């Protein structure tokens, strides 16, 4: 995984409402019906923000807010049952605070009920006087990340259990950008994190090479019968242009699918979906641009995209556009979420990105998906399969909400730590849910990730029994060593807890796939169903997770979410507790603060 960079504080507010059950969150803006009655105006949100900000300072001993701090609202969530939640980023003496995010919780009367905070300590650094100049910090960052450094910005780095004055620098090379944080007093590089979010980790690619294994998924399955009711002739009957049209994507991996496209003039079409905020896939044509506007639009004189083979550049684009729009549809239909960042803006993708790039990733710089064509050796096809797109776009959702961060990155770019592993897990959880939502007969819904990649073990990761993934060494259960586990390997802890919550322990066959989920304590867990489990995890992400959330914190977050949705005495709440205990995450073995 490559985590998004730590951005400067923004002050835009997204207003959200939530309904009980799986349709857990609906988002305001231009809306009708229940959404408008729950959060009718921005004025309501402004009142909630001011109440939350006032409460944060009034309860400083609990929230950790101190003199010199300013709180900038990132998200406002208004729940029908009465709770209000405001997610804040923080500045101290005008400097952004890394790891300073918090969520203030209020009741319906706007009275303070609690806080979820990333830093369990005061964020004020020991000194506010830098020893290094900005130019010196930029030089150190350039050396660390081996690229060209931008300007250095003073920040407070409150991550890792203490606070320090630091510089934040963006460093650019031919492969993208890194965010480097340099101690402003000692000159030590505190972190060096790639900004893009790659599906395949350096460790996995190395292991594939060692095993002599290639990723060469089967393609050309587009000759099968298309999904009924999805395909159109491309003729919109429009008298005004541009207008929506019904196109056909002949994909590499999911057969012939319907795509809503744009008819730009009579007999001319563009692979852009006006019904989904203008979501579009473009051709990077081998460049490594991170500006979507520089990609080449896919246009055609017929509304048919691709031919099911890699020989046609539009085939991969059809897969990408299908996956992106299905992911958007899943989040909107299930949670009322309007776009990846909940701002009713387009989700974008670029295929054929870079020269022999063996990966696909979410890139927060362009807020889009980037897909390489493979290196021709280890990785031989574009990585545009459905669950990969759902996984990567979910990183965008996490980036727009909890902003879960790895705790450290090694010299090869591999990332470690529980918050980063939880990020990967959520991407797998919701990525698999995108498959269930799409219900495409050419990509049978399952709890497997990357099952269409053509790997010898028949999948990349799986949620029911994560340790069956031998390529990444994914783990089933938590232990103190999990803190030092590479994030994809560590993701198994919470993915396993989710599966147990949804489907239960033991043997089960779903859609022809056999599962057999074990438990750490040899207990039997009876699942509550995928819909309720997904509602709980999404609500926990959006209401109760912050950038430093660990697995034990995630247990608490999901218990709070289950209490909100179903009650503290409910079967759902009790099963959440059992599912975490079954992966060895309990209140009793919670690590000491500051681990």
């Amino acid at each position: 995984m490559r985590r998004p960079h730590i951005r400067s504080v923004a002050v835009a507010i997204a207003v959200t409402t939530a309904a009980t059950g799986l349709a857990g969150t609906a988002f305001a803006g231009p809306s009708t019906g229940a959404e408008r009655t729950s959060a009718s105006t921005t004025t309501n949100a402004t009142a909630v923000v001011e109440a939350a900000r006032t409460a944060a300072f009034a309860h400083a001993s609990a929230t950790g807010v101190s003199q010199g701090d300013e709180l900038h609202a990132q998200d406002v969530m208004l729940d029908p049952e009465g709770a209000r939640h405001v997610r804040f980023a923080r500045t101290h003496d005008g400097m952004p605070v890394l790891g300073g995010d918090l969520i203030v919780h209020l009741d319906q009367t706007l009275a303070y009920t609690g806080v979820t905070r990333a830093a369990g300590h005061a964020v004020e650094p020991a000194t506010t006087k830098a020893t290094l100049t900005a130019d010196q910090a930029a030089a150190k960052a350039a050396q660390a990340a081996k690229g060209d450094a931008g300007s250095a910005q003073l920040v407070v780095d409150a991550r890792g259990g203490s606070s320090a004055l630091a510089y934040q620098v963006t460093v650019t090379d031919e492969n993208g950008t890194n965010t480097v944080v340099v101690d402003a007093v000692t000159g030590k590089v505190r972190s060096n994190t790639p900004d893009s979010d790659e599906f395949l980790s350096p460790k996995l690619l190395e292991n594939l090479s060692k095993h002599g294994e290639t990723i060469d998924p089967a393609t050309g399955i587009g000759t099968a019968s298309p999904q009924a009711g999805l395909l159109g002739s491309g003729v919109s009957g429009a008298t005004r242009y541009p207008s929506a049209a019904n196109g056909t994507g002949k994909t590499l991996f999911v057969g012939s699918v319907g795509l809503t496209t744009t008819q730009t003039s009579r007999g001319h079409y563009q692979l852009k979906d006006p019904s989904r905020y203008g979501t579009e896939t473009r051709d990077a044509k081998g460049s490594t641009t991170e500006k979507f506007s520089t990609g080449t639009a896919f246009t055609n004189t017929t509304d048919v995209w691709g031919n099911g083979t890699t020989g046609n550049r539009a085939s991969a684009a059809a897969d990408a556009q299908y996956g992106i729009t299905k992911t958007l549809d899943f989040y909107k239909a299930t949670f009322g979420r309007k776009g990846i960042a909940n701002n009713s803006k387009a989700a974008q993708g670029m295929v054929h990105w870079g020269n022999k790039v063996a990966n696909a990733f979410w890139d927060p710089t362009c807020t889009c998906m980037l897909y390489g064509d493979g290196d021709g050796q280890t990785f031989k096809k574009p990585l545009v399969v459905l669950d990969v797109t759902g996984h990567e776009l979910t990183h965008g959702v996490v980036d727009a909400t909890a902003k879960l961060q790895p705790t450290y990155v090694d010299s090869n770019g591999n990332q470690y730590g529980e918050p980063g592993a939880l990020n990967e897990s959520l991407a797998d959880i919701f990525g698999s849910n995108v498959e269930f939502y799409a219900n495409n007969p050419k990509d049978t819904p399952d709890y497997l990730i990357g099952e269409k990649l053509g790997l010898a073990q028949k999948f990349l990761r799986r949620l029911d029994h994560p340790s069956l993934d031998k390529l990444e060494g994914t783990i089933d259960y938590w232990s103190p060593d999990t803190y030092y586990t590479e994030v994809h390997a560590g993701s198994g802890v919470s993915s396993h807890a989710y599966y147990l919550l949804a489907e239960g322990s033991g043997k089960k066959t779903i859609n022809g796939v056999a599962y057999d989920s074990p438990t750490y304590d040899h207990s039997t867990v009876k699942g509550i169903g995928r819909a309720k489990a997904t509602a709980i995890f999404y609500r926990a992400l959006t209401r109760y997770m912050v950038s430093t959330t660990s697995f034990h914190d995630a247990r608490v977050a999901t218990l709070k979410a289950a209490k909100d949705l179903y009650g503290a005495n409910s079967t759902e709440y009790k099963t959440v507790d059992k599912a975490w205990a079954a992966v060895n995450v309990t209140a009793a073995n919670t690590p000491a603060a500051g681990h």
Side-chain angles (χ1 to χ4, degrees):
M1 179 187 99
R2 284 187 166 186
R3 284 293 305 125
H5 62 284
I6 305 160
R7 295 191 183 90
S8 298
V9 173
V11 294
I13 300 173
V15 183
T16 67
T17 67
T20 301
L22 186 53
T25 307
F27 293 78
S31 59
T32 58
E35 291 181 21
R36 188 162 53 200
T37 60
S38 295
S40 58
T41 66
T42 302
T43 302
N44 288 352
T46 301
V48 173
V49 169
E50 289 308 311
R53 184 180 286 113
T54 300
F57 283 94
H59 297 270
S61 60
T63 63
V65 176
S66 62
Q67 185 176 1
D69 287 355
E70 290 186 5
L71 300 180
H72 304 267
Q74 307 294 291
D75 204 359
V76 182
M77 296 152 280
L78 313 178
D79 300 337
E81 65 271 22
R84 278 83 174 97
H85 317 264
V86 182
R87 186 183 295 276
F88 288 109
R90 186 179 347 194
T91 59
H92 181 79
D93 290 343
M95 297 178 290
V97 180
L98 312 183
D101 50 304
L102 67 156
I103 307 169
V104 176
H105 310 290
L106 309 171
D107 65 16
Q108 193 167 13
T109 68
L110 304 187
Y112 173 83
T113 59
V115 66
T116 305
R117 50 193 278 201
H121 56 87
V123 304
E124 184 177 3
T127 179
T128 57
K129 185 176 181 180
T131 301
L132 270 69
T133 66
D135 287 345
Q136 288 171 330
K140 284 184 176 291
Q143 183 179 20
K146 298 179 175 58
D148 298 323
S151 59
Q153 177 188 18
L154 276 174
V155 298
V156 176
D157 188 358
R159 302 169 298 171
S162 62
S163 296
L165 186 67
Y167 286 101
Q168 179 177 285
V169 187
T170 298
V171 179
T172 305
D173 65 12
E174 61 182 6
N175 297 315
T177 60
N178 279 35
T179 293
V180 182
V181 178
V182 179
D183 194 293
V185 177
T186 67
K188 176 184 176 181
V189 174
R190 298 177 65 87
S191 63
N192 176 13
T193 308
D195 292 339
S196 57
D197 199 329
E198 294 184 343
F199 183 71
L200 303 176
S201 69
K203 182 180 178 181
L204 173 62
L205 294 172
E206 181 183 358
N207 286 344
L208 287 169
S209 180
K210 285 182 179 178
H211 287 85
E213 188 170 352
T214 61
I215 294 180
D216 190 13
T219 57
I221 58 175
T223 56
S225 299
Q227 291 175 271
L230 285 180
L231 304 185
S233 64
V235 178
S236 66
T239 57
R240 294 184 179 181
Y241 304 107
S243 63
N246 299 317
T248 300
K250 294 190 175 182
T251 70
L252 296 174
F253 299 115
V254 288
S256 293
V257 297
L259 298 172
T260 301
T261 60
T262 297
Q263 187 171 6
T264 55
S265 63
R266 189 172 187 86
H268 293 86
Y269 303 91
Q270 185 174 344
L271 191 57
K272 182 177 183 178
D273 189 337
S275 68
R276 295 174 176 87
Y277 325 115
T279 287
E280 181 180 5
T281 299
R282 291 188 174 185
D283 191 342
K285 291 194 171 180
S287 76
T288 55
T289 179
E290 292 183 88
K291 292 183 179 180
F292 183 76
S293 60
T294 63
T296 300
F298 279 96
T299 59
N300 205 356
T301 54
T302 67
D303 208 355
V304 178
W305 308 92
N307 63 3
T309 74
T310 56
N312 187 311
R313 298 184 72 83
S315 297
D319 279 278
Q321 184 78 354
Y322 174 79
I324 293 169
T325 54
K326 284 300 179 185
T327 302
L328 289 175
D329 289 354
F330 160 72
Y331 275 105
K332 185 175 182 181
T334 311
F335 310 117
R337 189 175 186 86
K338 295 180 179 179
I340 298 306
N342 177 35
N343 56 6
S344 297
K345 289 187 177 181
Q348 298 166 329
M350 283 194 284
V351 293
H352 311 302
W353 189 84
N355 181 28
K356 296 186 176 180
V357 173
N359 229 316
F361 47 94
W362 165 258
D363 187 331
T365 300
C366 72
T367 60
C368 63
M369 282 293 303
L370 304 177
Y371 301 90
D373 284 331
D375 60 6
Q377 298 177 356
T378 301
F379 180 13
K380 297 188 176 182
K381 301 281 175 61
L383 199 65
V384 289
V385 296
L386 179 60
D387 58 5
V388 171
T389 295
H391 171 107
E392 290 301 320
L393 286 176
T394 296
H395 283 312
V397 174
V398 174
D399 186 39
T401 54
K403 293 180 172 64
L404 291 159
Q405 299 283 337
T407 50
Y408 66 99
V409 183
D410 69 18
S411 59
N412 294 317
N414 294 298
Q415 302 189 18
Y416 297 82
E418 292 186 19
L422 179 60
N423 192 341
E424 286 300 327
S425 171
L426 292 167
D428 281 354
I429 288 166
F430 292 113
S432 68
N433 269 274
V434 169
E435 271 192 9
F436 279 101
Y437 175 82
N439 198 26
N440 186 302
K442 296 302 175 185
D443 193 347
T444 304
D446 52 44
Y447 291 103
L448 311 177
I449 302 298
E451 73 278 5
K452 295 181 74 69
L453 297 181
L455 294 166
Q457 66 182 23
K458 306 300 183 185
F459 53 85
L460 179 55
R461 290 184 296 278
R462 58 187 299 153
L463 279 60
D464 67 314
H465 195 165
S467 65
L468 294 178
D469 165 26
K470 304 303 181 184
L471 280 170
E472 294 178 301
T474 306
I475 58 177
D476 292 326
Y477 312 116
W478 180 85
S479 76
D481 289 340
T482 304
Y483 182 85
Y484 307 102
T485 303
E486 191 273 332
V487 292
H488 294 87
S491 71
V493 175
S494 46
S495 293
H496 193 188
Y498 168 83
Y499 177 88
L500 290 166
L501 178 64
E503 302 291 351
S505 58
K507 295 182 178 181
K508 195 170 193 176
T509 300
I510 305 169
N511 292 339
V513 179
Y515 303 96
D516 189 358
S517 193
T519 58
Y520 179 85
D521 53 2
H522 305 294
S523 63
T524 298
V525 179
K526 183 178 179 181
I528 62 172
R530 181 173 50 83
K532 289 181 177 180
T534 305
I536 289 169
F537 268 69
Y538 180 80
R539 191 180 184 93
L541 166 65
T542 55
R543 268 68 174 168
Y544 301 112
M545 291 184 185
V546 289
S547 60
T548 59
T549 297
S550 67
F551 289 131
H552 286 80
D553 295 331
R555 171 186 172 273
V556 173
T558 50
L559 283 169
K560 288 180 178 179
K563 180 182 178 182
D564 289 347
L565 293 172
Y566 307 110
N569 295 317
S570 65
T571 297
E572 292 83 358
Y573 181 92
K574 294 172 183 176
T575 307
V576 169
D577 197 34
K578 289 179 181 177
W580 283 109
V583 298
N584 197 34
V585 175
T586 67
N589 66 11
T590 302
H595 170 66

